[in-house]
Amino acid sequence: MTETMNAWRRETYGPSSGVNLEQIPAPVPHRGEVLLEVRATSLNAGDVRLLLGDPLLVRPVFGLTRPKHPVRGMEVAGTVVAVGPDVVSAEIGEDVVGELVGGGGLAEYVRVPASRLVPIPPDITPEAAASLPIAGGTAWQALDLAGVGLRGNEAPRVLIIGASGGVGTFAVQLAALRGAEVWAACSARNAPLVERLGAVRTFDHRESPLSEIPASRFDAIIDIAGGMPLRELQRLVGHGGRIVLVTGDGGHVLGPVPRMLRAAVLSVGSRSIRPLAATPRPEVLAKLLELVADGRIVPVIEREYPFAEASAALAHLEAGHTVGKVVVRGSGV
């Protein structure tokens, strides 16, 4: 093992233009951890928010004056090259995928708890596998929280707002697999893609307002884009329907907290609006990998960047309007 490695870092909060490639000490796995040689890292909107330290509410957890994790990237596929004490679920040479603790994926090596990792089937690329843990896992948990496919509804009608992003492209496919009639809100240019993924109807809510849709039209709404009036969302679900808020949108200081509080007040007596706090779920990740291996879902990867251009990948994500996922290949790929 090498004692040093290359990593993309930013020691202070700020935009992607301040991320630099640096040589730093290679990590050593602690008890219950493994060391991975990174094959691919998938980036998310959360990486940009943590890069900027926005909203300010997150800073007491992720670093008050500077980030605790100066290397971004929270989804990683890699090869186990070392194991720490008490690790029995991973072997050296095994290809695995999982969600990191805080970040660290934009580096040549990263250490991660073995309990978060799942073996990658041989016919799945590292890039496809790396796109699954957070985006696919969040979509899965949002549909579970909404009760889609779990409450015995015959072909429940589901509205997915923000259907062309990383979480949205998985949510459309998974909802369709669960037997739902999927309506999707996305831009007109992304509508053909979303329809191929399984949506039976698409519309741009900026051009066709939600107010034009009849009341009680849906059994569930998955709001990924944010910014929709909560009362309008409530109007659109029928009796017993559920609205799941995936987005973390909001102000610069408190972020989504005010919207979540309004949702709690509006849900008194009905509990129809439910914020989602997605967590790492290796058992869900294993099921997602099976679905990809069987060809039942397909990760939508808009762009792949070589490791040398990781800062450009962050800049692309920071600019907004990403379709599907952005993946950075490992330095040895």
Side-chain angles (χ1 to χ4, degrees):
M1 278 296 303
T2 179
E3 294 183 355
T4 61
M5 68 174 184
N6 291 315
W8 289 92
R9 294 165 53 90
R10 179 173 179 125
E11 291 288 348
T12 58
Y13 288 117
S16 59
S17 57
V19 175
N20 297 304
L21 184 61
E22 302 176 7
Q23 191 169 70
I24 62 174
V28 175
H30 298 167
R31 185 175 301 276
E33 296 179 335
V34 304
L35 184 68
L36 300 183
E37 183 177 3
V38 177
R39 301 299 184 194
T41 298
S42 177
L43 300 176
N44 300 276
D47 284 300
V48 172
R49 289 197 294 269
L50 291 177
L51 191 68
L52 297 171
D54 185 41
L56 298 179
L57 183 68
V58 306
R59 295 195 182 190
V61 176
F62 292 97
L64 194 58
T65 59
R66 59 180 57 211
K68 291 180 181 178
H69 302 279
V71 179
R72 294 292 352 117
M74 294 184 289
E75 299 175 284
V76 66
T79 302
V80 178
V81 293
V83 298
D86 299 335
V87 172
V88 296
S89 59
E91 298 179 355
I92 292 177
E94 186 176 23
D95 292 329
V96 294
V97 60
E99 181 178 341
L100 303 179
V101 179
L106 292 180
E108 292 181 299
Y109 299 93
V110 66
R111 60 184 178 91
V112 57
S115 60
R116 291 192 173 206
L117 297 172
V118 176
I120 301 174
D123 51 350
I124 296 180
T125 66
E127 293 79 12
S131 71
L132 292 171
I134 293 178
T138 298
W140 186 292
Q141 292 175 59
L143 293 169
D144 279 356
L145 188 57
V148 176
L150 304 178
R151 295 190 289 172
N153 303 44
E154 284 192 21
R157 183 177 290 129
V158 179
L159 171 62
I160 298 174
I161 303 173
S164 60
V167 176
T169 51
F170 283 117
V172 170
Q173 295 180 80
L174 291 171
L177 279 179
R178 295 184 183 200
E181 176 188 317
V182 181
W183 290 35
C186 61
S187 68
R189 72 181 178 91
N190 294 328
L193 165 66
V194 174
E195 289 168 0
R196 288 196 300 272
L197 296 177
V200 300
R201 180 172 173 180
T202 58
F203 63 95
D204 188 336
H205 61 272
R206 294 164 298 185
E207 303 293 333
S208 302
L210 297 180
S211 59
E212 297 181 359
I213 300 176
S216 303
R217 190 68 170 174
F218 302 102
D219 298 294
I221 296 176
I222 310 298
D223 181 13
I224 304 166
M228 302 295 104
L230 295 177
R231 287 191 181 276
E232 186 63 26
L233 297 181
Q234 280 189 313
R235 185 187 69 83
L236 292 173
V237 293
H239 179 72
R242 297 179 185 176
I243 301 159
V244 175
L245 304 179
V246 176
T247 178
D249 68 324
H252 176 58
V253 177
L254 295 179
V257 171
R259 190 171 192 241
M260 299 306 181
L261 291 176
R262 288 196 299 273
V265 172
L266 290 174
S267 295
V268 172
S270 66
R271 300 184 63 204
S272 61
I273 309 178
R274 303 188 178 190
L276 173 68
T279 58
R281 297 275 300 277
E283 71 280 10
V284 168
L285 177 56
K287 293 176 182 177
L288 290 167
L289 287 164
E290 289 179 10
L291 292 175
V292 173
D294 292 341
R296 301 181 70 190
I297 63 172
V298 179
V300 177
I301 299 176
E302 181 186 40
R303 294 192 186 184
E304 294 182 14
Y305 290 81
F307 183 74
E309 297 177 15
S311 60
L314 285 167
H316 175 70
L317 199 65
E318 189 179 351
H321 307 296
T322 299
V323 178
K325 299 290 295 179
V326 172
V327 176
V328 177
R329 298 189 295 271
S331 62
V333 178

